[in-house]
Amino acid sequence: MGTAATGDAQHLEAPGCAVLVVGCGNLLRGDDGVGPVLVRHLWERGVPRGARLVDGGTAGMDVAFQMRGAERVVIIDAAATGSAPGTIFKVPATELVDLPPLQGLHTHSFRWDHAVAFARWALGEDCPTDITVYLVEVQGVELGAGLSAPVQAAMELVIDRIEADHLAALRPAAAPEVTVEFTADGYLRLDAALAASRFPSDAVTALVRDDDLWLIPLRGPRSGGLLLKQRNPAGDRSLLIREVIADRAISGVAGAFWDDATKSLRIPLPGRREPPG
């Protein structure tokens, strides 16, 4: 015997965000995968609150529905115009008015421009109007190949532009002078704001130079270095530093400052170096 459903109807929608970054393309075909590869690199560098990254792959219709609720959208895809490999084309929202018709489309011909056109048809007023597209000219799309050198270089430039124009404003403000804590068991503790603003990838290089402990942010774990591990739900981080300062007896709170010249957090070490035994 069936039962009647009760309660309000539920509508499943993509969560809203300030910035949606979508990488389109086929990872299995060389430079055609520049969009998804770029999204992976952005993820490793740290995603600020308010941003959402999507590997759109070749599923253009899924990309269209991912746009719902986003204030700004950035799409990255490959291009094959005959230009020099690695050439970057930026297509601002104002030039996306005249898009191709949707009639006769199927999944194998669904490009980024079709995704935007389909989003406008499917989402109506819920479709974002602030959409920017970056296209990177391919060198080769052979099955199983990686990104070519020109496309890799172009991808890094696009990453820098997305960070500057879309993600930087979402990251917490970084104070020039802060405090950190050395623990008796060899860890260095950083509060959530400091970690998120200066070390968004949670990967660092740590070294002692000029009686200062230098923490240098890395682009991601694949770069090596040490990991900042999350200590609590608030987002505070903890870094095992014992081996870096093995011959110093340091404990307690210490002042630190950001050095723009070296792009590092410098912590004057309060303890004197112990003589070798």
Side-chain angles (χ1 to χ4, degrees), residues 7-277:
D8 297 331
Q10 299 296 313
H11 300 283
L12 299 179
E13 297 183 358
C17 60
V19 177
L20 172 69
V21 182
V22 183
C24 300
N26 190 339
L27 277 171
L28 301 179
R29 289 200 169 273
D31 290 336
D32 190 48
V34 63
V37 172
L38 183 146
V39 164
R40 284 160 170 74
H41 279 262
L42 280 180
W43 183 266
E44 286 192 342
R45 296 183 182 208
V47 185
R49 186 181 300 274
R52 190 155 58 91
L53 306 183
V54 172
D55 178 350
T58 57
M61 290 188 182
D62 290 344
V63 169
F65 287 111
Q66 290 283 353
M67 294 184 192
R68 185 192 299 273
E71 297 175 16
R72 306 171 74 187
V73 176
V74 183
I75 299 174
I76 305 94
D77 203 354
T81 68
S83 301
T87 300
I88 300 170
F89 303 93
K90 181 180 179 182
V91 186
T94 53
E95 297 183 20
L96 298 177
V97 177
D98 298 321
L99 290 171
L102 294 175
Q103 292 85 354
L105 283 180
H106 54 81
T107 55
H108 294 291
S109 65
F110 220 91
R111 304 186 304 267
W112 67 267
D113 47 351
H114 298 128
V116 175
F118 181 76
R120 288 180 175 170
W121 173 81
L123 303 181
E125 294 182 356
D126 291 334
C127 181
T129 57
D130 190 339
I131 303 174
T132 300
V133 178
Y134 287 98
L135 304 175
V136 180
E137 185 74 15
V138 302
Q139 176 170 287
V141 291
E142 297 81 7
L143 184 64
L147 297 185
S148 65
V151 170
Q152 280 187 319
M155 180 186 71
E156 293 294 337
L157 294 176
V158 175
I159 287 175
D160 290 342
R161 182 47 53 198
I162 293 173
E163 174 66 32
D165 291 349
H166 299 277
L167 302 183
L170 301 179
R171 301 193 187 280
E177 297 184 6
V178 294
T179 59
V180 298
E181 180 186 1
F182 291 92
T183 68
D185 56 350
Y187 282 84
L188 180 68
R189 294 178 179 175
L190 286 67
D191 66 34
L194 173 59
S197 61
R198 296 302 190 186
F199 308 100
S201 73
D202 292 333
V204 304
T205 290
L207 57 93
V208 174
R209 181 180 296 172
D210 301 328
D211 277 337
D212 287 354
L213 174 63
W214 292 27
L215 296 185
I216 305 171
L218 299 175
R219 290 188 171 184
R222 75 172 64 190
S223 301
L226 303 174
L227 293 180
L228 293 171
K229 299 180 180 179
Q230 187 160 340
R231 295 187 59 250
N232 55 37
D236 296 340
R237 295 293 194 268
S238 183
L239 172 69
L240 183 61
I241 210 75
R242 181 172 52 231
E243 294 183 1
V244 180
I245 56 172
D247 56 350
R248 295 175 183 264
I250 303 175
S251 178
V253 175
F257 65 95
W258 181 257
D259 185 349
D260 274 321
T262 60
K263 302 299 181 185
S264 64
L265 184 71
R266 294 181 58 177
I267 308 164
L269 295 176
R272 289 183 174 276
R273 186 183 297 273
E274 296 179 353

